[in-house]
Amino acid sequence: MSNGLDYRHQVTALNQWFGTDLGKMVLSQESLVLQELAKTLFGYYLLELGLLCRRLDYMQSTTIRNIVRAGPCHDEHSELVSLPEQLPLAGDMIDAVVLPHTLDFVVDPRQVLREVERILIPEGRVIITGFNPYSLWGLWRLMPGSSRRLPWKGHFIPYARLQDWLSLLGFDVEQTQTLLFRPPWKKAFLKQRFPRLDRLGQRFWPWSAGVYVIVAVKRVSTLTPVRPRWRLERKLGKVAVQPLANCSQGKLEK
């Protein structure tokens, strides 16, 4: 995706998949987790930044009343139409951000995280859902033709890598939850033995879940004043005193 036209095509195809029986089942399972997490969010403004052109059920459980949906969807549910990488919002104004599979399908997931860090207030929280490549869902991407279809051609970012990105931006990961150990086909959600597989997976092999949910908080470090070292310099027969200062800036590499 290199321009707005490609983005619209991606959004249309993605929403078509999440409108299928399998996509709806994925969202319903994730909503159970998000509903509980939303109860822990406080503040004045919650931003849902995503590519899904629909309202998700978890919003009803949060105490935050000012909820804004932002993304490229031109519909009645979106209060702010914008690319996720370029948000027309002031910095340090949003209390919580939810990214429902946003990083899986945007052009530049790291730029989206930079924007999230910019608009969040200190101690603000971000909730991220994503597909795990090291799972049955990730293996499904190896099926012939899957790499050209959504959702299988998404980024599928490993959550360990995502945690590293968040750490570089000054976030602390508070918790990571995993779900959907069933294979990615409709019957797996309907048969009784597959929910049992979910319970076993949670206990014995959580790393193989199809979906992860990460909660991270934006930390703002308190700078401790450091007394400068001084150097005497002779210039034109006079003594000049100059402080020596060292400054470094961390950057998130692409």
Side-chain angles (χ1 to χ4, degrees):
M1 298 180 297
S2 58
N3 53 46
L5 181 62
D6 292 336
Y7 228 139
R8 288 196 294 271
H9 176 74
Q10 178 95 336
V11 169
T12 299
L14 183 64
N15 279 273
Q16 288 176 349
W17 185 83
F18 276 107
T20 64
D21 290 339
L22 181 58
K24 291 178 181 178
M25 291 174 185
V26 171
L27 292 180
S28 66
Q29 294 291 315
E30 293 174 349
S31 290
L32 296 176
V33 177
L34 292 176
Q35 285 174 14
E36 294 302 314
L37 293 176
K39 296 177 183 178
T40 66
L41 301 177
F42 301 95
Y44 296 100
Y45 295 101
L46 183 152
L47 174 68
E48 181 186 282
L49 178 59
L51 307 179
L52 302 181
C53 302
R54 67 189 68 197
R55 288 193 177 274
L56 303 181
D57 295 336
Y58 75 89
M59 291 183 175
Q60 300 174 358
S61 63
T62 181
T63 60
I64 300 178
R65 296 307 176 194
N66 298 305
I67 300 174
V68 179
R69 293 186 68 252
C73 300
H74 295 263
D75 58 29
E76 69 277 9
H77 300 304
S78 298
E79 290 80 13
L80 182 62
V81 178
S82 169
L83 294 180
E85 294 91 344
Q86 301 173 358
L87 296 174
L89 295 172
D92 300 330
M93 68 171 295
I94 302 298
D95 299 279
V97 176
V98 180
L99 303 176
H101 290 285
T102 310
L103 302 182
D104 283 328
F105 305 107
V106 293
V107 177
D108 189 346
R110 285 170 288 188
Q111 176 58 28
V112 173
L113 288 178
R114 294 186 190 100
E115 283 289 272
V116 169
E117 189 277 334
R118 181 182 66 82
I119 65 175
L120 272 177
I121 66 170
E123 304 300 316
R125 281 165 172 75
V126 57
I127 299 177
I128 303 169
T129 64
F131 287 116
N132 178 20
Y134 307 126
S135 65
L136 294 175
W137 293 73
L139 289 176
W140 198 259
R141 304 169 74 200
L142 302 178
M143 298 293 290
S146 295
S147 61
R148 298 190 298 271
R149 301 195 306 268
L150 288 171
W152 317 113
K153 71 175 185 177
H155 297 300
F156 278 52
I157 304 168
Y159 57 79
R161 182 183 305 168
L162 181 54
Q163 290 172 345
D164 289 340
W165 291 353
L166 290 167
S167 178
L168 287 172
L169 287 170
F171 285 90
D172 284 344
V173 175
E174 288 189 325
Q175 60 174 298
T176 300
Q177 298 189 38
T178 54
L179 62 152
L180 295 183
F181 295 84
R182 296 171 246 184
W185 58 75
K186 179 180 177 181
K187 291 182 179 179
F189 285 83
L190 301 178
K191 292 185 178 180
Q192 185 175 1
R193 65 176 178 271
F194 285 112
R196 189 179 303 118
L197 183 61
D198 282 344
R199 292 192 294 270
L200 292 174
Q202 289 282 7
R203 182 174 181 181
F204 296 109
W205 51 85
W207 53 268
S208 66
V211 169
Y212 56 79
V213 183
I214 290 178
V215 182
V217 59
K218 175 182 174 180
R219 301 298 189 193
V220 178
S221 60
T222 302
L223 299 179
T224 302
V226 178
R227 180 177 300 173
R229 293 174 294 149
W230 298 90
R231 178 177 63 190
L232 296 180
E233 289 190 353
R234 292 190 176 273
K235 185 177 182 180
L236 300 177
K238 297 181 180 180
V239 177
V241 182
Q242 294 182 347
L244 296 179
N246 294 322
C247 180
S248 63
Q249 181 178 6
K251 295 182 179 180
L252 185 62
E253 298 180 354
K254 291 188 176 183

